[in-house]
Amino acid sequence: MRLPIPAKAHPVQTEQIILFRVSGQLFAVSSASVQEVRSVDTLAGAAKEIAQAGLRKVRHIVQRGEHALYVVNGAMHFGLPPFAPALVFVLRRTRTALLVDGIEKMTTMTRLQALPQAFCNDERDWYRGVTAIDQTVVPVVKPEGFLTPDELFLLDSSLQPKESPTEIAARESALGGLLPQTDIIDDSSASFPQ
């Protein structure tokens, strides 16, 4: 009698994650996506307020060399009640720093499930999926989902210095010699057949 050959067990793929809270709600993020974790107090002197950002969830910017990090309020982003953040996650390969209540714990995720159909619209861009940790279903955030390319463009344009009317006039007069002259035809007195 021959015994069947047992199927090879595939090694379980694991990922280190950080469980964190925003307004008391539990979320997860890949620890590889977090470049650094800082106290909000350490950013107090470095963060500048954005006068007219156009986005309620972003009120501050931190300049890091040539790069600007936009500080996203996690509660406003997720539509949760306001909170007093204690930590900032500087997210790797993005221009985002995320305000959070605190870290619950670091753990290992063994399985990432697809998002249920209940997650719709923007939520599908915010999350990679969901995972079960200690009998609790936790959404796993997508670091690049906090600011869309359109939102980054809006924020970048709000930081551009605005030209005053005298600067515009000076720029136009400097370009005046470079622009081709065109003849303007006044056709206001012309009559057209009807």
Side-chain angles (χ1 to χ4, degrees):
M1 175 173 149
R2 293 185 76 144
L3 296 173
I5 298 173
K8 279 189 176 180
H10 295 286
V12 176
Q13 291 229 344
T14 62
E15 184 176 352
Q16 292 296 116
I17 59 172
I18 301 171
L19 293 177
F20 65 95
R21 291 198 180 271
V22 173
S23 291
Q25 297 295 313
L26 192 61
F27 298 93
V29 66
S30 170
S31 61
S33 300
V34 179
Q35 183 173 337
E36 73 183 85
V37 179
R38 300 185 67 160
S39 168
V40 171
D41 298 336
T42 62
L43 289 181
K48 294 187 308 187
E49 190 167 345
I50 301 175
Q52 295 176 340
L55 290 175
R56 290 185 45 218
K57 66 182 178 181
V58 178
R59 290 287 176 231
H60 295 89
I61 183 172
V62 176
Q63 207 61 39
R64 289 219 150 158
E66 296 177 6
H67 302 288
L69 288 177
Y70 295 107
V71 182
V72 174
N73 183 317
M76 287 187 167
H77 176 77
F78 293 119
L80 298 171
F83 70 102
L87 297 175
V88 176
F89 288 171
V90 177
L91 301 175
R92 194 179 308 275
R93 292 184 290 280
T94 69
R95 296 177 54 203
T96 307
L98 179 65
L99 294 171
V100 302
D101 291 356
I103 295 174
E104 188 79 14
K105 68 179 179 178
M106 294 185 71
T107 189
T108 303
M109 173 177 68
T110 57
R111 189 165 184 177
L112 181 66
Q113 298 286 330
L115 285 174
Q117 293 298 323
F119 289 83
C120 55
N121 301 326
D122 291 339
E123 292 174 336
R124 297 200 76 77
D125 295 327
W126 298 346
Y127 304 111
R128 293 174 48 205
V130 294
T131 190
I133 304 290
D134 298 332
Q135 312 259 325
T136 304
V137 176
V138 179
V140 180
V141 298
K142 189 186 304 181
E144 58 277 3
F146 289 104
L147 291 172
T148 66
D150 290 340
E151 290 171 333
L152 284 168
F153 179 78
L154 177 67
L155 290 165
D156 287 342
S157 64
S158 73
L159 296 177
Q160 299 297 324
K162 305 289 187 225
E163 286 185 314
S164 69
T166 55
E167 291 171 327
I168 293 171
R171 180 175 45 83
E172 287 177 353
S173 67
L175 293 175
L178 301 174
L179 297 176
Q181 297 295 319
T182 58
D183 294 328
I184 299 174
I185 300 171
D186 181 16
D187 62 354
S188 59
S189 61
S191 61
F192 295 99
Q194 296 181 350

